[in-house]
Structure formats: C-alpha cells, structure tokens
Amino acid sequence: MQNEVKNRSVVFTILWSFCASFLVARATSYLALLGTIPHIYPHLHGNHLHHFNYGILALILAGFLSITGSKISKNTQAIIYGIGLGLIMDEIGLLISLQNDYWTRQAFDALVITAALLINIEFFKDFWIKIFRKTTRGQSFHQIFPLKQKPTISVVIPAYNEEKSIVKTLESLKNQTYQGKVEIIVVDNNSTDNTAQIAEKL
C-alpha cells in the first residue's frame, strides 16, 4: 500500500511538471511572437536552441540520476523528467506539421490544458469542492442553476399484504416537499388482505 502511494505521488509529479513546463513554454513562445516579451532563447554557434534541446538534456539528467541511484529525491527526479517531456512535447508539433509555425499547434495546447484540468480533478478534487462551496456559500448546484420546470417524478410501491403499513407509507409520500409533479403508483401483487382497497381510497 505504501509503495502504491509513493508511485501515485511520482506519477502525479511527472504529470504536473509536464503540464506546467509545457504551458510555460507555450506561453513564452506566444508572447515573444506577439512582441509582448523579448525573445529569451539563446543561440549556440549561430543556431537557435529549441525547447526540444532542453527537454532532451532534462531527460538525460533524470535518467542519469535514476540509474546512478542519486540521493536526490524521487519527486525531484520526477519533476526533471516531467519538465523534459513537456519541453519536448512543445516541439512535437514542428515534427508533425513540418512547419516552423507556432500558431498551427493549438491542438496540442488544448490537449495539454485538458490534461491539466483532468489532473486537477483527479488529485485536487477535495480542494476544488471546498472552493466551490465557499464561493457559492454552501448552496447546492440546483439552487445556483435552478431548472425552469421541475421534472415529474413517479414513485412505484410494490405491495403484498401491506394493509398495516400502506397508509403511513402513502401519507409520508404525500407530505414530501418536492415542488414538481409527483405520481404515486401502488402495484398490488395479489394481496389477500385489504391493501388494494385502502390504496384506492387514498
């Protein structure tokens, strides 16, 4: 059980660092292309260093640390590994489209943003539920988004020789607070007592 928790923590760390590095890389690229921020990518011997290069280096470093049994924690290694994957994924679009055009790769952005949302739902579900409850002041979903028309509800009661309890059952159902239309159906299964007659009167 303890190993399963550790493995889950490592997987989460890889996914989280992957999404974070991908989104940061994409954001800086878009902002640089729009002229909002300066181009910050260095050149080596006149050649532009792409995210792919840094991603490969990060994967090599993560693999080296793992193989050599480094004292660096598993989560730190997972972060380096996730960053490497994120930076490489940022350049995958170039390989698929064979065009050096960042604007053609928005499908990748949508994919990773969706993955980030799913990770949040899986690992931070309780946190987001608390935020939702605080912002809505404890209201239920139906109180925030009320239905224009309440759906009709059918309550089916199978009964066999229930003359002693059928009255209380039906009265409690008639006293419920649901504001939509409610139909109550008693299905008598060949009772030998007065179940059917009592139900008809009610």
Side-chain angles (χ1 to χ4, degrees):
M1 182 65 181
Q2 195 172 8
N3 287 336
E4 185 179 339
V5 172
K6 284 183 179 179
N7 291 336
R8 185 177 171 85
S9 174
V10 169
V11 170
F12 162 72
T13 304
I14 292 173
L15 289 172
W16 174 84
S17 55
F18 162 75
C19 290
S21 62
F22 181 91
L23 295 174
V24 168
R26 301 300 292 126
T28 54
S29 297
Y30 283 133
L31 291 173
L33 287 169
L34 292 170
T36 308
I37 62 172
H39 287 273
I40 56 176
Y41 307 112
H43 290 71
L44 183 64
H45 301 298
N47 295 315
H48 171 72
L49 292 177
H50 288 274
H51 299 150
F52 189 88
N53 305 114
Y54 299 111
I56 291 294
L57 290 174
L59 290 185
I60 291 171
L61 176 60
F64 175 79
L65 294 173
S66 177
I67 292 170
T68 57
S70 171
K71 293 181 180 179
I72 295 176
S73 70
K74 293 290 184 186
N75 277 339
T76 302
Q77 294 179 38
I79 289 172
I80 297 170
Y81 186 76
I83 289 172
L85 289 177
L87 294 175
I88 289 174
M89 183 59 133
D90 181 48
E91 301 290 351
I92 288 294
L94 295 177
L95 300 177
I96 293 176
S97 64
L98 298 178
Q99 296 178 10
N100 189 15
D101 182 4
Y102 274 83
W103 304 107
T104 62
R105 302 190 292 173
Q106 293 172 354
F108 289 99
D109 303 353
L111 177 66
V112 177
I113 290 170
T114 302
L117 290 173
L118 291 174
I119 291 167
N120 269 277
I121 292 170
E122 172 65 21
F123 291 95
F124 296 115
K125 179 172 61 178
D126 294 337
F127 170 77
W128 290 114
I129 288 174
K130 286 179 182 177
I131 294 293
F132 178 78
R133 285 177 179 166
K134 284 185 178 180
T135 54
T136 58
R137 297 179 182 175
Q139 291 180 308
S140 68
F141 179 83
H142 296 294
Q143 288 172 317
I144 300 167
F145 305 104
L147 294 172
K148 292 182 179 179
Q149 186 175 358
K150 302 282 186 182
T152 299
I153 291 179
S154 299
V155 182
V156 181
I157 305 170
Y160 175 73
N161 290 346
E162 301 290 349
E163 65 178 3
K164 293 180 180 178
S165 58
I166 194 70
V167 174
K168 289 182 180 179
T169 301
L170 294 176
E171 284 181 349
S172 66
L173 285 170
K174 288 169 74 174
N175 292 331
Q176 51 78 36
T177 58
Y178 182 69
Q179 295 178 356
K181 184 180 178 183
V182 179
E183 64 173 352
I184 301 170
I185 303 169
V186 178
V187 181
D188 178 49
N189 187 23
N190 291 323
S191 297
T192 57
D193 60 5
N194 295 319
T195 299
Q197 291 83 351
I198 294 171
E200 284 177 1
K201 288 179 182 179
L202 294 173

